[in-house]
Amino acid sequence: MLTSRVPAAVDALLEILRDRPALEDVAVVDGPSPVNTTTRRRIHIGWSPTAESAVGLQQSFNGAGARTRDEALTITGYAEARIGDKDMKLARDQVFALVGEIEQALRASDAEPEAPTLRGTVLWAHLTTGDLLQSVTEGSVAGVEFTVTCQARI
């Protein structure tokens, strides 16, 4: 019996991002990964440096009779751009270009009509929050912690 749309939604989001031509040279990572300063641009789904959870979820009955449930999901993510020098503006611009690609990936298009539903796994999904992080560690690093919020019915 289906108890949550979390696994299917996370898998679909990863697939959608990995299939995006504009992200073909970006590491799209499922959860955390070891620090690798040679990978200049990456997107993590289900992890960010300060998050307490990979995915938050809340469920409630959809209506009388308790036959279906509504599920609200918040998928944690983190986009990062590393620059070999101290050009923070370039790192910041690159990370926001990554976040822009994520946001665009969650919009319906002719090629991906079910993107806002994460390929039918949820009723809708969209990018809802973000926090910019910046540091200088072997060059400039800009990261954006973000949340993809979804609504599902189970």
Side-chain angles (χ1 to χ4, degrees):
M1 171 176 237
L2 186 65
T3 61
S4 176
R5 298 305 294 165
V6 168
V10 170
D11 292 347
L13 180 56
L14 285 161
E15 289 171 9
I16 288 168
L17 295 177
R18 288 174 177 157
D19 289 348
R20 244 175 121 72
L23 298 176
E24 68 184 359
D25 65 339
V26 175
V28 178
V29 182
D30 185 355
S33 67
V35 173
N36 177 350
T37 58
T38 60
T39 302
R40 298 292 184 188
R41 298 185 314 148
R42 73 179 94 213
I43 297 170
H44 294 265
I45 300 301
W47 178 83
S48 86
T50 65
E52 293 182 18
S53 68
V55 180
L57 64 111
Q58 292 183 325
Q59 293 183 358
S60 61
F61 286 115
N62 177 38
R67 295 183 185 270
T68 59
R69 294 177 63 79
D70 287 329
E71 183 174 47
L73 315 174
T74 53
I75 302 171
T76 299
Y78 179 68
E80 181 179 89
R82 291 178 170 270
I83 307 302
D85 60 26
K86 302 215 183 323
D87 188 348
M88 189 58 73
K89 178 185 178 356
L90 182 57
R92 188 173 47 250
D93 289 349
Q94 284 190 13
V95 78
F96 272 94
L98 293 177
V99 173
E101 283 297 323
I102 297 164
E103 198 278 330
Q104 288 294 318
L106 294 174
R107 291 187 185 191
S109 68
D110 291 339
E112 193 70 69
E114 292 196 61
T117 65
L118 298 181
R119 297 184 173 165
T121 63
V122 298
L123 298 172
W124 51 259
H126 62 129
L127 189 72
T128 53
T129 65
D131 291 303
L132 174 64
L133 308 174
Q134 298 182 138
S135 66
V136 177
T137 307
E138 297 183 31
S140 297
V141 179
V144 173
E145 295 179 320
F146 63 87
T147 302
V148 174
T149 301
C150 311
Q151 186 67 39
R153 173 118 345 118
I154 54 175

